[in-house]
Amino acid sequence: MVQVYNFKGNKDGAKLLVLGAIHGNEVAGPLAISRLMQELEAGKIKLVSGTLTLLPIANPEAHQKDIRQIEENLNRVINQWETPNTYEKKLGVEVAKLIEACDYMLDVHSTHNAGEIAFSFLDYATTGNLKIVEALDVDYVLSGWPDVYGSQDEIVDFSTERYVNFIGKNGLTLESGYHKDPAAIDLAYQSIVNLLKNLKMIEGSFEKKEKRIVKMTDIVIKNKEGHLADKFKHFDFLKKGTLIAQCDDGEQIFADKDCYMIIPNHHCELGAEWYYLGVLL
Ligand SMILES: [Zn+2]
């Protein structure tokens, strides 16, 4: 159902899985992975140890149609379902099998709006995951996602990142930026190459980028009509006392601490996540 490519080094070593297009229209991952594959095949990059498994297009039908998904969000149904009854659940089983066979996973996504900043998630700060983060070519790392969702029973999250960590492996999600921006493809490509170096799968060193780790502290659900008070963008820094939102009934919501705005939704419907806040770790 999906096309998987394996590359083996001469020596034993880490098993790294790289995923692209879990969401069909996020093209930065597939393009970065295919660039890497060409270089491996041409001998420009030589795998010295371990096994590299590449799944450039995890959702082929959605990718072909340039849409996010066919029946449901693949990044919520990664699991060994006994009777997978949707297209994505069937793919979810394939991806879960690949995750079970790896030691490290990098799941490459890209975002939908120009100017959006690249970052990675770090849901579980294990030694193995920090080794992955070290290699990524991003300035920001977002941690604590499962904690803020802990209180929200109705949200069931079978993401790649949850699955890989749930079964005791290492892995995380890279959001490489706006997917039509060539810089997002470069960033994804460079991050994978750095990770291969950090896992000693290819030779060479790389410059470790210093990261700001932002821990999510608040999830704010929009429970009455209103609007965000500014054109906030992801990772905007807000000083304590900044007006964040203006409700139609006159209520105003202010930042109760120095914090970062996380994934603001300017077109939020009632009952959905309006924005999140986080602080530097
Ligand atoms: Zn995505």
Side-chain angles (χ1 to χ4, degrees), residues 21-137:
I22 283 278
H23 296 130
N25 56 350
E26 296 177 6
V27 295
L31 293 170
I33 294 170
S34 74
R35 187 192 297 177
L36 176 67
M37 269 168 45
Q38 281 167 16
E39 298 195 335
L40 284 161
E41 278 157 8
K44 285 187 190 163
I45 292 183
K46 212 173 148 5
L47 203 66
V48 291
S49 76
T51 307
L52 173 63
T53 301
L54 301 172
L55 173 55
I57 301 169
N59 192 331
E61 214 173 300
H63 182 72
Q64 209 222 335
K65 293 182 174 155
D66 195 24
I67 53 176
R68 184 174 175 85
Q69 62 203 50
I70 300 296
E71 291 180 78
E72 61 185 323
N73 183 351
L74 175 56
N75 210 24
R76 296 291 178 271
V77 293
I78 304 295
N79 196 17
Q80 291 259 24
W81 305 104
E82 273 179 30
T83 49
N85 57 359
T86 65
Y87 177 65
E88 271 85 8
K89 280 204 179 81
K90 286 177 194 144
L91 295 172
V93 172
E94 301 291 315
V95 175
K97 283 184 194 160
L98 293 173
I99 289 176
E100 282 171 25
C102 80
D103 308 318
Y104 295 88
M105 177 209 81
L106 183 65
D107 180 11
V108 183
H109 290 241
S110 46
T111 55
H112 304 273
N113 300 303
E116 277 174 344
I117 201 168
F119 67 101
S120 87
F121 288 96
L122 177 63
D123 286 352
Y124 311 90
T126 60
T127 313
N129 285 340
L130 289 168
K131 209 174 175 76
I132 304 175
V133 160
E134 220 171 50
L136 303 179
D137 200 21

Side-chain angles (χ1 to χ4, degrees), residues 14-18 51-53 104-106 195-196 199 201:
K15 294 186 195 122
L16 171 64
L17 168 66
V18 183
T51 307
L52 173 63
T53 301
Y104 295 88
M105 177 209 81
L106 183 65
L195 181 54
L196 287 165
L199 296 174
M201 296 172 72

